[in-house]
Amino acid sequence: MEQTHAGVEDCSVSGFESAEKVIIRWDATASEEAREKMIFNDPNEVKLYLNAVDEIQKIVSSSAGDIENRANSVIQIAMARLEDEFRNILVCHSSPINSDSLMLSSSSSSSSSSQLEVDEDGTSSNNGNEDDDQEEEETDLLKRSSSSAITGSAAVRLPTGRGSYSRSTSSIREIELIPIESVVHLSWIARRMVSAGYLRECIQVYGSVRKSAVDSSFRRLGIEKLSIGDVQRLNWEALEQKIRRWIRAAKICVRVVFASEKLLCEHVFESVGAVNIHEACFMETVKGPAIQLFNFAEAISISRRSPEKLFKILDLHDALIELLPDIESVFDLKSSDSIRVQAAEILSRLAEAARGILSEFENAVLREPSRVPVPGGTIHPLTRYVMNYISLISEYRPTLIDLIMSKPSRNATDSNTPDFDFSELENNKGPLALHLIWIIVILQFNLEGKSKYYKNAALSHLFIMNNAHYIVQKIKGSPELREMIGDLYLRKLTGKFRQAATYYQRAAWVKVLYCLRDEGLHTKGSFSSGVSRSALRERFKSFNALFEEVHRVQSQWLVPDSQLREELKISILEKLSPAYRSFLGRFRSHIESGKNPENYIKISVEDLETEVLDLFEGYSATQHLRRRSE
C-alpha cells in the first residue's frame, strides 16, 4: 500500500516537473525566445502549455508543503504569461469596425446557424471527468470553430441560457469582432485565469483593450469626446452638424458596436464559470463609451432653449425613441441599469425641451418688437419665418401630437395678447393643432400692430392683405398643415386678406373715383344742359394730380404674389376704367371745345389701364420716372 502511494507521489512529482519545465520555458522574464514568440501562434505549443497549466493547477489544489509552494510560484509565472497572451490576441483583433459593417441594413443580418460552444464538455455543467477528457475536447472544439470561421458567418451566436437576445429588435445587427478560433483561445485562457484567482486581471485586460477598440470605432464614426460643458459652448451651426452625425452614429453604436461587444463577451466568458463575468467585462468595455455617447444628447436636452433648436431636438427625440428598445435589449443587465435610466431620462428631457421651446416661440412671435415698416407693404420677415416654422412643425406631427398634451392658454387680463375664442375649434382639434392656430392668431395680432407704423392708410391695408394672403397660401401649400389648421379657420383667414384688399381699394382710390362724379359740374338751375367749364377743368386737374400721385406712390409698393397682384389690378380697373370712360364720354366735348384741352385731358382710357398695370411692382422712384418718360 505504501509502495503504491509512493508511486502516485513520484508520478505527481514527475508530472509537476514536466509541466514546470514547459511553463518556465515560456517565462518572458527569463528567456529572450519567450519574449519574441507567442504561444498561441503555434497549435502544438498551445496544447502543451495549457496541459501544463492544468497539471500545475491540479497539484496546487491537492498538494501541500514544498511542492505546493513551487506550484504556486509556477502558477504566477503561468498567469503572467497567459495574461500577455490574452492581451496579445485581443490587441491583434482590436481594429475599429470596418466601414462595410457600419452600414446598417433595414433589417438585421441573419444569424449563423453554427454555434460556438465554449463549454468544453458540450454542456454548461462542470463534472469531475472534465480534466481527463479536456485535451481531446479542446482539440475537437478548435477544429469545429475553425470550420465555422471558414463559412464567413457574420454573427456567431452563443447559447446564453438567459434568453436575452430573444428580445432583441430586428434592427440589431451583431457582427464578428474577433475570429472564432481566437475567441476559443481567449475563452481557454480566461477559464484558467479565473480558476487560478486572476479574475480581476482578466477583466481589466479585456476591458482596456476592447474599450480602446470601441473608442477607435467611435472616432471613425465621428463621435468626439466632448463634455456636457463643451457641447453647450458650441455655436448652434456647429451643433446642428454634430447632431446629424450623432443620430447616424448612435444607431450604429447601439445596434452594431455595443451589441457585437456584448455578444463577444458572452462567447469569451459564458463558460468560464465565474458568476456574471461576461456582464462585468461588457460593462468594463462599453460603460465609458456609452456614457460619452449619451452625454452629447443629454447636453442638448438641458441646453438653453431657443426656437431654432426645436427641430434638431425633435430629430434627437425621434432617434432616441426609435433606439430605446435596442438600448433596453443590449443593456438588459442589472449592471447596466444606469445606461437605460440615462437614455430614458434624456428622452424625457428632450420632450420637455420641445414643449418649452414651442411655448417660448409663441411668446417670441407675440413680443417681436420691430417697428420699422417693411418697404412697399410687402411680406414681413416675421411672417415668412413663422409660417415656415409652423410648416416644419406640421411635418413633425406624429411626434408632437404625443408631446403636446395641453391646449394654449392666454392671459385674459393682458391687453397685449389677442382675444380669441377656441371653443368652436376645440371639439375637432387636438392640442397641437390649437397651438398652431394660436401662433397664427398672435402673428396676425403682431402684424396688426406693425401696420400702424405706416403713415399711408392704404399701404397699411396692403401690408395686412399681403401677409394674410401669404399665410393662407402657406397653409394651402402644406397638406399636413392644412389638415391641422382645418377649413373652418382657413376660411376666416381667407376672409381676412379679402377684407384687407377691400379696405385698401377704398383708402387708395375713393378720392380718385370721387373726381369722376357729376355733382358740382352743372351750372345752377340748368342741370340738363349747363356745364360749368371752369369746374370741369378743375375736376380734370384734380383727377390728373391724384391719379399721378397714386401711380407714382403705388408703383413703388409691392404685391409679391403674381396672381394676387393681377387680381388686385383687375379689381381696380373694373371700377376705375368704366368710371373714367363714362366721365370722358360725358364731358370730353366741353373741354375740347375750349382752349388748351391737352392741359386737362392728359390721359386716355388705354393709358390709364396701362399705368394701373404698373402698380405693385416695387419700382424705385428712379425706375418710375424712367418708365413715365419712355
Side-chain angles (χ1 to χ4, degrees), residues 329-399:
S329 177
V330 173
F331 295 96
D332 63 339
L333 312 170
K334 184 170 180 57
S335 57
S336 56
D337 280 351
S338 60
I339 304 297
R340 297 196 304 276
V341 169
Q342 183 185 18
E345 288 178 346
I346 292 169
L347 190 63
S348 176
R349 281 195 290 269
L350 288 170
E352 184 56 39
R355 286 188 286 267
I357 288 173
L358 185 61
S359 176
E360 290 180 18
F361 177 72
E362 292 170 358
N363 288 326
V365 173
L366 182 63
R367 312 295 178 192
E368 198 279 327
S370 64
R371 295 187 176 189
V372 179
V374 292
T378 189
I379 300 162
H380 198 283
L382 177 66
T383 307
R384 293 185 187 276
Y385 176 69
V386 170
M387 293 310 299
N388 287 333
Y389 196 88
I390 66 172
S391 293
L392 276 174
I393 286 178
S394 69
E395 293 178 13
Y396 286 83
R397 176 183 176 181
T399 300

Side-chain angles (χ1 to χ4, degrees), residues 20-28 31 33-34 45 48-49:
E20 184 182 39
K21 287 179 182 179
V22 172
I23 289 169
I24 296 299
R25 180 162 62 86
W26 286 100
D27 183 2
S31 165
E33 181 182 9
E45 290 295 340
L48 288 173
Y49 197 84

Side-chain angles (χ1 to χ4, degrees), residues 595-611:
K595 294 180 181 179
N596 304 315
E598 69 278 2
N599 290 338
Y600 307 104
I601 303 177
K602 292 185 174 183
I603 185 169
S604 67
V605 175
E606 292 74 19
D607 289 341
L608 178 140
E609 291 175 346
T610 300
E611 294 205 7

Side-chain angles (χ1 to χ4, degrees), residues 321-465:
I321 205 166
E322 179 188 340
L323 270 178
L324 203 57
D326 302 318
I327 293 168
E328 291 174 347
S329 177
V330 173
F331 295 96
D332 63 339
L333 312 170
K334 184 170 180 57
S335 57
S336 56
D337 280 351
S338 60
I339 304 297
R340 297 196 304 276
V341 169
Q342 183 185 18
E345 288 178 346
I346 292 169
L347 190 63
S348 176
R349 281 195 290 269
L350 288 170
E352 184 56 39
R355 286 188 286 267
I357 288 173
L358 185 61
S359 176
E360 290 180 18
F361 177 72
E362 292 170 358
N363 288 326
V365 173
L366 182 63
R367 312 295 178 192
E368 198 279 327
S370 64
R371 295 187 176 189
V372 179
V374 292
T378 189
I379 300 162
H380 198 283
L382 177 66
T383 307
R384 293 185 187 276
Y385 176 69
V386 170
M387 293 310 299
N388 287 333
Y389 196 88
I390 66 172
S391 293
L392 276 174
I393 286 178
S394 69
E395 293 178 13
Y396 286 83
R397 176 183 176 181
T399 300
L400 284 168
I401 279 179
D402 291 335
L403 299 185
I404 307 301
M405 305 302 293
S406 60
K407 67 178 185 180
S409 59
R410 62 173 296 272
N411 186 349
T413 63
D414 186 356
S415 61
N416 293 319
T417 58
D419 185 15
F420 188 78
D421 183 9
F422 284 101
S423 59
E424 62 181 4
L425 298 173
E426 286 178 342
N427 291 335
N428 57 358
K429 295 295 175 190
L432 177 61
L434 292 176
H435 274 277
L436 296 187
I437 292 172
W438 176 240
I439 290 170
I440 295 172
V441 169
I442 58 180
L443 169 62
Q444 289 187 301
F445 182 78
N446 191 317
L447 292 172
E448 290 284 354
K450 295 183 189 307
S451 72
K452 293 179 173 60
Y453 296 115
Y454 288 102
K455 295 178 181 179
N456 188 311
L459 183 56
S460 174
H461 294 307
L462 190 80
F463 170 76
I464 293 297
M465 179 200 72

Side-chain angles (χ1 to χ4, degrees), residues 161-357:
R162 301 192 324 277
S164 61
Y165 274 96
S166 65
R167 297 193 305 275
S168 295
T169 65
S170 61
S171 53
I172 288 179
R173 182 184 174 196
E174 299 140 338
I175 62 173
E176 183 183 283
L177 298 174
I178 295 179
I180 299 171
E181 181 177 347
S182 297
V183 172
V184 174
H185 291 164
L186 291 170
S187 181
W188 290 344
I189 294 172
R191 185 165 65 177
R192 287 161 176 86
M193 289 184 70
V194 172
S195 176
Y198 285 75
L199 171 62
R200 184 172 59 85
E201 291 81 354
C202 184
I203 292 175
Q204 286 177 344
V205 170
Y206 183 92
S208 65
V209 177
R210 287 311 307 166
K211 181 181 179 298
S212 177
V214 172
D215 289 340
S216 296
S217 293
F218 269 35
R219 286 191 294 272
R220 179 167 288 185
L221 288 166
I223 299 176
E224 303 170 73
K225 287 189 175 181
L226 297 172
S227 68
I228 290 177
D230 292 335
V231 173
Q232 293 182 333
R233 282 188 290 272
L234 291 170
N235 65 60
W236 182 244
E237 187 176 338
L239 267 181
E240 280 189 297
Q241 296 176 349
K242 293 184 186 299
I243 288 171
R244 282 194 292 269
R245 186 184 304 134
W246 185 91
I247 289 171
R248 291 192 298 267
K251 293 176 182 179
I252 296 168
C253 288
V254 172
R255 294 169 174 170
V256 180
V257 178
F258 293 158
S260 299
E261 289 292 344
K262 182 181 182 184
L263 192 65
L264 178 63
C265 286
E266 292 173 349
H267 283 187
V268 173
F269 296 106
E270 188 79 43
S271 66
V272 165
V275 176
N276 296 334
I277 182 173
H278 61 280
E279 297 184 10
C281 286
F282 175 59
M283 290 308 294
E284 182 80 12
T285 301
V286 305
K287 185 173 183 179
I291 291 172
Q292 175 191 340
L293 178 70
F294 293 122
N295 272 354
F296 177 85
E298 182 169 359
I300 300 298
S301 73
I302 61 176
S303 64
R304 185 181 65 84
R305 296 172 183 174
S306 56
E308 71 272 13
K309 295 182 179 179
L310 176 62
F311 303 108
K312 284 302 169 191
I313 282 178
L314 291 175
D315 287 341
L316 269 179
H317 179 276
D318 287 350
L320 199 53
I321 205 166
E322 179 188 340
L323 270 178
L324 203 57
D326 302 318
I327 293 168
E328 291 174 347
S329 177
V330 173
F331 295 96
D332 63 339
L333 312 170
K334 184 170 180 57
S335 57
S336 56
D337 280 351
S338 60
I339 304 297
R340 297 196 304 276
V341 169
Q342 183 185 18
E345 288 178 346
I346 292 169
L347 190 63
S348 176
R349 281 195 290 269
L350 288 170
E352 184 56 39
R355 286 188 286 267
I357 288 173

Side-chain angles (χ1 to χ4, degrees), residues 1-10:
M1 187 69 177
E2 289 181 1
Q3 287 180 347
T4 301
H5 182 69
V8 170
E9 286 187 351
D10 290 343

